[in-house]
Amino acid sequence: MKTLVLNAGYEPMSVVSFKRALVLVLAGKANVLEADAARPVRSEQLSLDRPTVIILTRYVKPPSARTAALSRRGVLRRDGHRCAYCGRSAATVDHVMPRSRGGANSWTNLVACCRSCNSLKGDRTPEEMGWSLLVRPEAPDAGRFWLREVDAPAEVWAPFLELGRAA
Ligand SMILES: [Zn+2]
């Protein structure tokens, strides 16, 4: 069970292990908003409800102002593991403008790509192949990207995530 961390302004910020959440709470850096009383955390000294949502006591600069760090895994996740050319399941990434022709190693020049499209395309551009991109590759912002890492958001988080989306 993971814990949702909200910024002091209630914006969803990140997801951490409940242990990390407890450390923040015990250090006075966060307060518990929601807890799972059915599954307390026990140690020799204390017994605490397991935090499911915590809120930081001090406002920190929202991570959405930053761009997520580029990675092969991140590109695949951004594109939902779907090939940007044919829509099938993708396990590799492709430089839209090939590296050999000056294509950058960047969020906007990398897309998820299935093996067969990747080997067919080689050092050519989508235009040369007569292909079009099914997605417009963009750099995801770090904040939302963080939350997308949670494949199955806990039910108790839902109202807080909605709030963040509206903000
Ligand atoms: Zn493909």
Side-chain angles (χ1 to χ4, degrees):
M1 176 56 122
K2 300 260 186 177
T3 304
L4 178 65
V5 183
L6 303 178
N7 204 349
Y10 281 84
E11 304 93 331
M13 280 204 56
S14 62
V15 172
V16 298
S17 70
F18 78 85
K19 282 182 187 166
R20 173 79 187 134
L22 280 180
V23 168
L24 289 169
V25 170
L26 293 174
K29 290 181 176 159
N31 292 316
V32 177
L33 277 185
E34 296 278 342
D36 187 353
R39 292 192 300 159
V41 186
R42 285 200 184 87
S43 74
E44 283 177 23
Q45 295 84 11
L46 74 172
S47 171
L48 289 166
D49 292 346
R50 191 176 297 247
T52 54
V53 182
I54 61 171
I55 184 163
L56 299 178
T57 51
R58 288 180 56 186
Y59 193 81
V60 301
K61 191 176 181 293
S64 57
R66 301 192 310 252
T67 295
L70 179 67
S71 70
R72 181 183 156 280
R73 244 185 66 198
V75 171
L76 288 171
R77 196 188 305 140
R78 179 197 64 190
D79 296 347
H81 295 262
R82 297 271 146 217
C83 177
Y85 302 111
C86 74
R88 278 181 299 206
S89 168
T92 65
V93 299
D94 177 59
H95 289 84
V96 178
M97 173 57 76
R99 290 270 279 165
S100 60
R101 296 166 64 175
N105 224 358
S106 67
W107 281 111
T108 50
N109 193 48
L110 283 165
V111 291
C113 187
C114 73
R115 273 175 217 289
S116 80
C117 287
N118 214 336
S119 66
L120 274 172
K121 183 171 171 285
D123 277 347
R124 283 177 294 256
T125 67
E127 291 74 32
E128 287 165 355
M129 299 299 292
W131 293 355
S132 51
L133 285 169
L134 302 176
V135 294
R136 202 156 65 91
E138 282 174 350
D141 66 43
R144 285 206 214 111
F145 205 56
W146 236 119
L147 293 168
R148 214 177 295 162
E149 284 200 23
V150 188
D151 296 325
E155 229 168 87
V156 293
W157 297 352
F160 300 100
L161 295 177
E162 286 301 323
L163 218 116
R165 214 166 291 144

